[in-house]
Amino acid sequence: MQHVEKLDMAQDWIEVGKLADIPRLGARVVNSPLGDIAVFRTASDEVFALRDKCPHKGGPLSQGIVHGKRVACPLHDWKIHLDSGEAVAPDEGCAASFPVKLDGDTVLLSLAASDGCPNK
Amino acid sequence: MKEKLVMVGNGMAGVRTLEELLKLAPNAYDITVFGAEPYGNYNRIMLSPVLAGEKTIDDIMLNDEQWYVDNGITLKKGQEIVDIDRVNRKVIAADGSEQSYDRLLLATGSNPFMIPVPGNDLKGVISFRDIHDVDQMLAASKEHKHAVVIGGGLLGLEAANGLMQQGMSVTVVHLMDSLMERQLDKPAAAMLKRSLEERGLHFLMQAQTEAIIGDTRVEKVRFKDGTEIYADLVVMAVGIRPNTELAKKSGIHCERGVVVNDTLQTFDPRIYAVGECVQHRGIAYGLVAPLFEMGKVCANHLAKIGIGRYEGSMTSTKLKVTGIDLFSAGDFTGDENTEELVFQDAAQGVYRKLVVQENRIKGAVMYGDTIDGAWYFDLMRDETDISDFRNNILFGQAHLGDSGHGDDNRVAQMADSAEICGCNGVCKGDIVQAIGDKKLFTLEDVRAHTKASSSCGSCTGLVESLLAHTVGGDYSVAPHLKPMCGCTERSHDEVRVTIKDQELKSIRAVMDFLEWKTPDGCSKCRPALNYYLVCAWPQEGLDDYQSRFINERAHANIQNDGTYSVIPRMWGGGTSPKELRAIADVAEEYKVKTVHVTGGQRIALYGLKKEELPRIWKRLSDAGMVSGHAYGKALRTVKTCVGKEWCRFGTQDSTHLGIELEKMTWGSWTPHKFKMAASGCPRNCAEATIKDLGVVCVDSGYEIHVGGNGGVKVRATDLLCNVSSEEEVLEYTAAFMQLYREEAHYLERTAPWIERVGLTYVKERIVEDVDARKTLAERFLHSQKFAQVDPWKERAEGVDEHEFVPLKKVS
C-alpha cells in the first residue's frame, strides 16, 4: 500500500475535471505541453487516458466511438485498447497511455507517459 | 475437474473447431488430439502450390507443435485410434493405450479413392492427399520423366500442373469425354483443355484404365482398348471418400459419411463430427469454407452456448492453376425448365454461362474473366430476381457501372505489382503473400490484415477472386442473412423488424433483447442501431450522440489532420451577395486555409479547429444560413441548373423545384448520404442521372430518376416514372426517401439498395400502389417535423458545449 502512495505522490496528479464532464462512452481532450491527451470514460465509468493521436495516421482518438475498453479511430476505424494504447490486432502500433484515476468524482491525470511506446 | 475432450484426426476442420472453442471457452476442457500424420496441422489445400514449387511445407503449416503446447493441448501425433468404447467413453489407440473422454470429436477427414485395378499397389502409384504424397511426387520428378495422372477433375489437374512445373512429362487420363465434368460444361472444359495443352499437358480422354504394369515399380499403364503408355509415376486423383472406418466400427450411424445433425452431433450425442468425414443433410463437403463453418457451429455447442446451427453451404469452385481463371457454382447444366444465358468469345478466351430459372440464377460457369463470379454467386444464393438487369447481366456487375478497373479483371494473369486496392495501395502480391503467410481464409481476414477492400469496397470482387484463386474454394452459407457485425448474429433486416415489432426504443433495449455478444457494441453496429431507432421512432428523440460518428456529433466533417470543414446550405445551389459576404468574412477572420466549391454546388471552408466551430456557425446563422449536413448520412444537396428562368432550352423551373425539394427534405437522416438534382431539360446540366434521386424536366412535365451514383461505382439512374406537376415530384420524392430510409441497410446507398430489392419492387411501392406512396410520404413529412432543427444554430447557442471545448488546458 505504502509503495502505491509513494508512486502516487511521485506522479504529480493534476485535477482535470469531474467525471460527469466526460460523456459515458465518450472522451474529452486535455491540452497539455506534451500535446493533446484524450481522457475516455467507459460504460462502467472507468477512465483511461491516451495520447490523442492514432498510431496509424495520427487521427484524434478522442473523437472516436468508445465501445467496451476500446476506441475506434475516426479516420480509418483502427481499434485501440484504452488500457494499453495498443492497436487491436492485426493492426500494429500504440498510442502512449497516461495514468488517470478517479478521486470520488474528480478525474486526476498524470503527465508521465507510459514507457515503451514510440508514439509519445 | 475439467471435462475431457478428445479429438480424433488432426486436420484443418478439427483444429479450426478447437481454435473456435478456445476463443469461446478457453478453459472448458482438457483437450487431447490424436493425429495419424507426424506433423502439426497444415493447410491441405495448399499442397498444389507446394507441388508446383511455389510454396514450401513450412509455408503451409497452420498450427505448429508449439501451438498445441501454448494452448495446453496434448498432441499425440502418429497415434492412430482404432476403436471407440462408447459405453465406457474411451478411445483405444493402435498400441493399446486408452484415453477417456466426456465428449469426442471425430475429424477423420477423407481417404483418396484408389481404383481397383491390378498393379495399383506398385511402387510409384500414389494418391494426392498429404505431405507424404507430395514428397513422393517431388522425389519422383527428380529421377523420372513420365507421369500419368488418373482423373481429370480439380485435384488431378492441379497435380498434373504441379508435376509439369517440376519438369515431368505429364499425361492426364480421364474416363469422361470432358474435363472437370462436375464443375464445368463442355465449352468451358474445352477451353480449359486447350489452355492446359498449350502449357504442355497431354490428355487421354474417355480412357478406362485396365491395369498398371511393372515388376516392382510402375512401368506402364494399360487401357481397356489395349493401348499402353509409359509411366514412372502414377497419381490417382479420382476422388475422395469420407473416412468413416472408425465411426462405423464403433456402431455410429454412417451412410456415405458420418451422419450428423445441424449441431454437428452424430447419433451418439456425446460424439461430434466435423470436416470431410461427415455427411450433413445428405451432402459430404470437400471445400474448406463449409468445413470451417461446421467448426464454428460445433465449437459453439462444445462450449455449451448452444445457439448456432449449421444449415448447409452452397459452394463454388475455382481451379488453383496459376494463370487460369475458372469459376463454377450451382447447377450449371440445367434441364428443360431452365434457360441459358451465354457469352462466348473464343479468341479472347472468355466464356460465361448462367443457368436461369424464373429469373433466378441456378448456376454459373465462367472461364477467362471470372471477376463477376462472386457477384453471380451472391445473386444465386440470395435468389435475387434478375429481370431488371437481365439484359446486361452477362457483361458483369462492372457493366452496371464501371468500378474503375476497366477490363483488367483477370486476377490470375495480373502481375504481382498490379494494384488491387486503390484506396489503400495494396498490390496483388501483398494480398497473395498475406493469404499464405497469415493463413487467411475469408474476405474479412484479408481486409483486416491487408486493408484491401476495406475502404470504398470497389475492389471487393478482385479480392474475392484472388482469395478464391489462392485458397481454391469460395463459399457462402446457404441462408444469406449476414450478421450486422461481430457483435451479433442478427442481420440488418432482422434488427429493423424487431425494433418495430417489439417497440424497442433504445440501443440498450435492442442489445438486451437481441442478446448482443459485446457489452456496448462496436463502431459498426452502434451508429446503425442509432439510425434505425431514430428512423423508427422519429417523435421520441432517442438520438444517442455517443453512437454517432464524429462528423454527425460535431456537425462538421473531420479532415485528415483532425481539423474540420464547414459547408453551409445553399438552397438548390443558389446563393446571394449577403451569404457570400458572410462566408468571405468568416474565411478571413478565421484564416481559412482553403475555400473550395464542392461537387454539390456549395462553398466549403477547410482547416477549422473544433473549438472555433460554434462561433463560426453563429456568424453564418446570423446571415441566415443553416447547416449543409455535408458531414452526415443525410440529405446532402439538391443540385440544379437555372432552368427555364434563364436557359433558352429550359422546359420547367428546375431551380425553383430544386429549392422546394431541398426545403422539404433537409435535415432528414438516411441510411447513407442522399443526393438530389433537378435539371431543366434533357441536356441534364445538373447531372441528375447519377444522383440518388434526380429530376429531369421535359416539356410535358418531370421525369423522376432513382438509384444513381457518381461515386465509387458509377451507376446511372433508373427511370421511376413521369409526373406532370411539382406537387407530384415532391410527393414521389418524399415517398421514395421514406422507403429508402425504412428499408435499406445502414451505409447502403440507393444504388446497391435498388439492385438488391429490384426496381420493380420500388415501382410497386411508389408508383403503382397509390396508398402506399401517400402513407410513405406522410411518414416522411411527419418525421421531418422533428428533424428540421438547425444543429448549427442550436450549438451556436450552447447545446453540447462539451463537444467543442477542451476538458482542461494544462500549462
Side-chain angles (χ1 to χ4, degrees):
Chain A
M1 251 349 253
Q2 219 172 359
H3 175 70
V4 174
E5 274 168 30
K6 252 189 213 159
L7 205 73
D8 277 5
M9 278 165 61
Q11 266 172 339
D12 227 354
W13 293 101
I14 303 164
E15 187 180 329
V16 290
K18 298 290 179 198
L19 181 66
D21 295 335
I22 310 171
R24 258 204 195 113
L25 293 175
R28 296 286 299 278
V29 177
V30 172
N31 300 143
S32 88
L34 303 172
D36 284 355
I37 297 169
V39 184
F40 300 90
R41 176 179 174 190
T42 66
S44 54
D45 288 346
E46 281 185 278
V47 287
F48 297 96
L50 297 178
R51 176 103 158 91
D52 196 15
K53 220 173 176 180
C54 180
H56 178 216
K57 302 240 164 146
L61 297 173
S62 57
Q63 312 296 297
I65 288 181
V66 177
H67 54 284
K69 286 191 194 179
R70 295 172 178 189
V71 62
C73 176
L75 292 194
H76 306 98
D77 208 34
W78 274 36
K79 315 287 189 300
I80 309 293
H81 288 288
L82 293 179
D83 46 7
S84 63
E86 296 279 352
V88 173
D91 293 325
E92 289 170 15
C94 131
S97 66
F98 292 85
V100 63
K101 65 175 185 178
L102 286 173
D103 178 11
D105 63 347
T106 303
V107 183
L108 298 172
L109 175 72
S110 156
L111 298 186
S114 61
D115 291 331
C117 196
N119 185 24
K120 275 195 178 180
Chain B
M1 239 327 240
K2 272 201 261 183
E3 285 194 288
K4 291 194 186 74
L5 173 66
V6 171
M7 182 163 92
V8 181
N10 185 32
M12 293 171 70
V15 176
R16 180 68 164 218
T17 309
L18 294 185
E19 285 180 332
E20 297 278 356
L21 173 63
L22 291 169
K23 267 194 257 171
L24 294 171
N27 298 311
Y29 295 98
D30 272 329
I31 303 174
T32 308
V33 176
F34 290 88
E37 283 188 71
Y39 304 98
N41 173 39
Y42 61 91
N43 188 345
R44 202 178 291 276
I45 40 183
M46 286 295 190
L47 286 173
S48 297
V50 172
L51 178 61
E54 293 161 6
K55 291 209 178 303
T56 68
I57 299 283
D58 286 342
D59 290 340
I60 68 167
M61 286 309 294
L62 290 172
N63 305 79
D64 56 17
E65 290 177 32
Q66 190 59 40
W67 179 84
Y68 297 85
V69 176
D70 293 344
N71 287 283
I73 297 171
T74 311
L75 172 62
K76 301 203 168 174
K77 57 181 187 179
Q79 274 215 43
E80 195 188 346
I81 295 298
V82 293
D83 205 358
I84 307 170
D85 178 352
R86 288 164 53 206
V87 176
N88 297 306
R89 300 212 304 265
K90 57 189 182 186
V91 293
I92 298 136
D95 63 4
S97 63
E98 297 181 346
Q99 169 70 44
S100 62
Y101 65 83
D102 294 294
R103 296 196 187 201
L104 179 63
L105 177 57
L106 296 179
T108 47
S110 62
N111 291 324
F113 180 62
M114 301 297 278
I115 47 175
V117 292
N120 73 359
D121 54 352
L122 283 174
K123 196 161 175 253
V125 181
I126 58 170
S127 59
F128 180 29
R129 191 61 199 147
D130 54 29
I131 289 181
H132 182 63
D133 294 329
V134 172
D135 285 343
Q136 287 197 62
M137 283 195 242
L138 290 174
S141 71
K142 291 195 176 68
E143 293 171 22
H144 301 284
K145 181 70 189 152
H146 297 285
V148 171
V149 175
I150 302 180
L154 195 63
L155 204 60
L157 294 180
E158 289 183 6
N161 180 63
L163 290 168
M164 184 174 66
Q165 304 284 326
Q166 297 298 336
M168 295 190 84
S169 161
V170 184
T171 304
V172 176
V173 176
H174 197 46
L175 189 59
M176 315 300 282
D177 61 350
S178 148
L179 295 173
M180 287 180 73
E181 74 282 351
R182 286 171 60 192
Q183 287 91 17
L184 298 183
D185 64 351
K186 292 203 171 163
M191 292 173 91
L192 172 66
K193 180 160 169 274
R194 191 162 59 242
S195 165
L196 291 170
E197 278 169 344
E198 280 166 13
R199 289 154 176 261
L201 281 181
H202 307 286
F203 289 92
L204 274 182
M205 306 301 284
Q206 290 173 284
Q208 194 175 350
T209 308
E210 188 179 69
I212 296 168
I213 301 161
D215 283 339
T216 50
R217 189 178 178 92
V218 54
E219 289 164 19
K220 286 184 210 167
V221 178
R222 186 169 70 228
F223 304 100
K224 271 267 153 69
D225 64 0
T227 54
E228 295 181 352
I229 56 172
Y230 288 108
D232 308 311
L233 176 73
V234 172
V235 179
M236 297 242 193
V238 290
I240 54 169
R241 296 280 155 89
N243 181 359
T244 58
E245 197 185 336
L246 178 65
K248 266 192 186 140
K249 191 175 171 190
S250 326
I252 295 167
H253 180 61
C254 297
E255 289 173 5
R256 191 161 168 254
V258 182
V259 176
V260 295
N261 61 14
D262 286 359
T263 55
L264 284 315
Q265 275 165 311
T266 66
F267 276 52
D268 179 338
R270 281 188 181 273
I271 303 182
Y272 293 73
V274 294
E276 289 184 331
C277 65
V278 313
Q279 175 183 331
H280 171 265
R281 297 192 187 180
I283 301 173
Y285 292 96
L287 292 174
V288 65
L291 309 182
F292 281 7
E293 194 59 33
M294 286 179 200
K296 199 170 176 182
V297 174
C298 182
N300 189 290
H301 288 274
L302 286 172
K304 298 176 185 169
I305 297 168
I307 51 168
R309 283 177 68 208
Y310 177 69
E311 300 183 353
S313 302
M314 201 181 261
T315 56
S316 63
T317 306
K318 278 261 187 178
L319 183 68
K320 290 191 300 299
V321 169
T322 307
I324 293 185
D325 273 322
L326 175 158
F327 175 90
S328 143
D331 169 15
F332 58 87
T333 44
D335 54 35
E336 65 276 13
N337 299 318
T338 60
E339 307 152 86
E340 286 184 5
L341 309 181
V342 179
F343 175 91
Q344 188 163 18
D345 181 343
Q348 302 243 33
V350 176
Y351 174 77
R352 300 178 160 198
K353 179 171 89 175
L354 297 177
V355 174
V356 174
Q357 187 173 7
E358 289 168 4
N359 281 318
R360 269 134 185 115
I361 298 178
K362 294 287 160 192
V365 181
M366 305 168 77
Y367 187 87
D369 177 357
T370 59
I371 182 72
D372 290 299
W375 182 51
Y376 293 144
F377 192 62
D378 275 350
L379 293 173
M380 179 171 104
R381 187 197 53 192
D382 295 349
E383 296 179 0
T384 307
D385 184 337
I386 60 162
S387 47
D388 288 332
F389 48 97
R390 191 178 156 133
N391 290 344
N392 291 325
I393 192 167
L394 279 175
F395 301 106
Q397 194 176 22
H399 190 79
L400 301 174
D402 191 333
S403 59
H405 296 283
D407 292 333
D408 197 8
N409 283 337
R410 300 184 183 196
V411 290
Q413 292 171 18
M414 284 182 178
D416 277 354
S417 58
E419 187 173 71
I420 302 285
C421 174
C423 292
N424 296 302
V426 190
C427 299
K428 175 185 168 184
D430 303 335
I431 298 174
V432 172
Q433 194 184 354
I435 292 171
D437 293 354
K438 306 261 173 70
K439 335 286 186 205
L440 312 181
F441 290 99
T442 66
L443 179 64
E444 286 309 313
D445 289 346
V446 176
R447 283 179 174 157
H449 283 268
T450 68
K451 305 294 169 203
S453 154
S454 65
S455 295
C456 82
S458 71
C459 62
T460 301
L462 287 172
V463 175
E464 283 181 329
S465 280
L466 266 182
L467 186 64
H469 196 272
T470 314
V471 184
D474 180 22
Y475 93 112
S476 279
V477 189
H480 40 85
L481 301 174
K482 285 186 199 140
M484 275 180 75
C485 66
C487 302
T488 179
E489 299 293 334
R490 308 293 174 158
S491 68
H492 284 269
D493 289 324
E494 285 178 290
V495 171
R496 294 206 81 161
V497 168
T498 311
I499 285 173
K500 284 298 266 189
D501 289 354
Q502 300 296 325
E503 301 199 11
L504 302 176
K505 299 198 175 174
S506 69
I507 291 180
R508 186 74 271 148
V510 178
M511 288 180 174
D512 288 347
F513 189 84
L514 292 174
E515 296 174 330
W516 236 244
K517 292 188 278 187
T518 47
D520 35 42
C522 68
S523 52
K524 234 176 166 176
C525 60
R526 285 239 306 278
L529 291 178
N530 189 55
Y531 168 72
Y532 292 154
L533 288 163
V534 166
C535 177
W537 317 109
Q539 203 165 351
E540 351 261 309
L542 306 166
D543 211 339
D544 172 24
Y545 260 49
Q546 295 312 128
S547 294
R548 281 196 179 263
F549 182 63
I550 181 59
N551 289 357
E552 296 182 358
R553 230 183 308 143
H555 291 276
N557 242 325
I558 193 164
Q559 304 298 327
N560 60 13
D561 61 352
T563 64
Y564 289 81
S565 65
V566 162
I567 306 176
R569 196 165 287 287
M570 290 179 173
W571 306 99
T575 184
S576 67
K578 184 185 171 200
E579 287 181 354
L580 290 173
R581 210 167 274 130
I583 292 173
D585 286 347
V586 165
E588 275 187 351
E589 192 176 321
Y590 289 90
K591 300 189 174 58
V592 168
K593 286 187 192 126
T594 302
V595 182
H596 187 259
V597 177
T598 74
Q601 299 182 329
R602 304 296 139 101
I603 293 177
L605 309 176
Y606 286 88
L608 301 162
K609 294 192 194 73
K610 201 178 181 192
E611 277 183 79
E612 300 169 340
L613 295 175
R615 276 173 282 148
I616 291 170
W617 292 337
K618 167 105 182 36
R619 296 282 298 276
L620 297 172
S621 182
D622 287 347
M625 281 180 275
V626 300
S627 160
H629 289 87
Y631 46 81
K633 313 295 175 220
L635 184 273
R636 290 285 180 90
T637 57
V638 183
K639 188 173 178 177
T640 70
C641 67
V642 291
K644 77 171 178 187
E645 191 185 359
W646 297 99
C647 177
R648 63 199 166 104
F649 299 116
T651 61
Q652 310 286 348
D653 192 346
S654 50
T655 324
H656 178 260
L657 176 63
I659 293 169
E660 290 300 311
L661 280 171
E662 193 158 349
K663 294 261 181 199
M664 176 180 78
T665 56
W666 77 274
S668 60
W669 298 109
T670 42
H672 207 313
K673 57 189 173 184
F674 193 95
K675 300 179 177 182
M676 291 200 271
S679 284
C681 78
R683 285 167 194 77
N684 192 11
C685 293
E687 297 160 339
T689 46
I690 52 163
K691 300 299 178 197
D692 294 283
L693 185 144
V695 182
V696 176
C697 299
V698 289
D699 199 56
S700 60
Y702 307 84
E703 295 171 1
I704 301 178
H705 299 259
V706 292
N709 194 315
V712 169
K713 196 169 77 182
V714 180
R715 183 184 195 273
T717 44
D718 295 309
L719 177 65
L720 185 68
C721 60
N722 288 286
V723 296
S724 53
S725 69
E726 278 196 3
E727 290 69 37
E728 285 171 292
V729 173
L730 292 171
E731 181 179 304
Y732 279 74
T733 301
F736 177 77
M737 277 188 80
Q738 188 65 10
L739 187 68
Y740 170 60
R741 293 182 76 232
E742 290 179 1
E743 299 190 5
H745 299 163
Y746 190 65
L747 296 188
E748 184 178 41
R749 288 292 296 268
T750 55
W753 170 63
I754 284 184
E755 285 179 9
R756 180 165 65 82
V757 301
L759 178 67
T760 309
Y761 168 76
V762 176
K763 277 185 172 169
E764 271 169 21
R765 296 290 306 272
I766 308 279
V767 184
E768 284 149 35
D769 188 340
V770 180
D771 288 340
R773 178 176 70 242
K774 292 203 180 293
T775 334
L776 280 165
E778 274 166 28
R779 282 209 293 278
F780 180 78
L781 295 176
H782 174 73
S783 157
Q784 285 297 82
K785 284 187 207 159
F786 312 98
Q788 290 191 323
V789 179
D790 178 24
W792 285 2
K793 189 160 192 288
E794 281 188 318
R795 278 151 193 79
E797 289 166 357
V799 168
D800 280 344
E801 192 189 358
H802 70 268
E803 184 68 61
F804 302 96
V805 295
L807 181 62
K808 185 163 179 116
K809 294 186 184 194
V810 181
S811 50

